[in-house]
């Protein structure tokens, strides 16, 4: 990778980290569903797609921890720590799966996105089991379903609509060659 490309990815990753810090403040202002929109997830998923799995992994891990330290939200234990593992998995999985697929385009994007969403939620569940287990508390399957699916539906829908729309828009403007090998 050339120095210019590394610099571009580093700057773009910094932008996604900044979005991870700021977007929850904006969506938190929407009373009924603001916390369910998962704005940090969107930033990390885009980072993994646009910058690669390495950057997505690091930004995903750092963002919730840094936000907790700076703003006190999310609470460090167990929320921010579990989110760090979840978002790191998101950035890693989406970047890696998209890179490894033979053709790129909308279908590959959805395969990568859905794989990352499932993988990230499973990692979050394991992190919650470990973190709460260390404190002598149980993390039930019902709590997993509630946290991973039921309360996350608005965010899941937003991710499935917004991320492909952003990628197509970036492709149309020439910023990213997203559909380069679509058949």
């Amino acid at each position: 990778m050339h120095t210019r490309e590394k610099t571009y990815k580093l700057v773009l990753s910094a932008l996604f980290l900044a979005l991870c810090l700021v977007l929850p403040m904006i969506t938190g202002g929407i009373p009924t569903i603001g916390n369910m929109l998962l704005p940090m997830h969107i930033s990390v998923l885009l980072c993994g797609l646009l910058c690669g799995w390495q950057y997505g992994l690091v930004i995903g891990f750092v963002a919730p921890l840094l936000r907790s330290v700076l703003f006190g939200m999310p609470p460090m234990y167990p929320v921010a720590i579990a989110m760090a593992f979840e978002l790191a998995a998101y950035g890693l999985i989406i970047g890696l799966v998209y890179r490894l697929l033979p053709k790129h385009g909308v279908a590959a994007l959805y395969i990568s996105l859905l794989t990352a969403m499932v993988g990230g939620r499973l990692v979050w569940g394991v992190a919650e089991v470990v973190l709460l287990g260390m404190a002598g508390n149980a993390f039930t399957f019902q709590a997993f379903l509630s946290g991973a699916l039921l309360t996350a539906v608005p965010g899941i829908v937003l991710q499935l609509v917004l991320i492909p729309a952003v990628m197509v828009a970036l492709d149309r403007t020439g910023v990213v060659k997203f559909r380069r090998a679509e058949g």
Side-chain angles (χ1 to χ4, degrees):
M1 187 173 0
H2 295 92
T3 304
R4 185 177 179 157
E5 186 179 354
K6 284 182 184 178
T7 303
Y8 176 77
K9 287 183 177 185
L10 188 61
V11 170
L12 202 52
S13 295
L15 169 70
F16 288 121
L17 179 59
L19 287 172
C20 284
L21 299 177
V22 173
L23 284 178
M25 292 177 196
I26 297 167
T27 61
I30 304 169
T32 50
I33 63 166
N35 293 333
M36 296 185 232
L37 292 177
L38 310 173
M40 292 175 71
H41 297 63
I42 293 167
S43 302
V44 170
L45 288 164
L46 285 169
C47 183
L49 280 170
L50 295 172
C51 301
W53 66 267
Q54 305 92 326
Y55 295 90
L57 173 95
V58 171
I59 297 304
F61 191 78
V62 169
L65 301 175
L66 182 60
R67 192 162 196 292
S68 181
V69 168
L70 293 175
F71 306 115
M73 288 301 290
M76 184 62 76
Y77 179 84
V79 181
I81 296 171
M83 277 183 71
F85 288 102
E86 175 190 16
L87 295 181
Y90 272 133
L92 167 74
I93 294 168
I94 199 164
L96 197 57
V97 171
Y98 191 73
R99 182 174 142 212
L100 293 175
L101 289 173
K103 292 184 179 185
H104 289 177
V106 176
L109 175 61
Y110 273 109
I111 290 168
S112 304
L113 182 58
L114 291 169
T115 303
M117 291 167 78
V118 169
R121 280 174 173 69
L122 290 174
V123 167
W124 171 78
V126 169
E128 287 284 351
V129 166
V130 171
L131 291 168
L132 292 174
M134 288 176 14
N137 298 319
F139 185 68
T140 65
F141 186 68
Q142 184 178 1
F144 173 76
L145 287 179
S146 176
L149 295 175
L150 302 178
T151 59
V153 168
I156 291 168
V157 170
L158 184 62
Q159 290 168 15
L160 292 172
V161 172
L162 185 63
I163 291 171
V166 167
M167 292 298 288
V168 168
L170 290 173
D171 181 64
R172 286 188 180 155
T173 61
V175 173
V176 173
K177 289 300 173 204
F178 156 61
R179 297 179 285 184
R180 67 176 181 265
E182 191 167 46

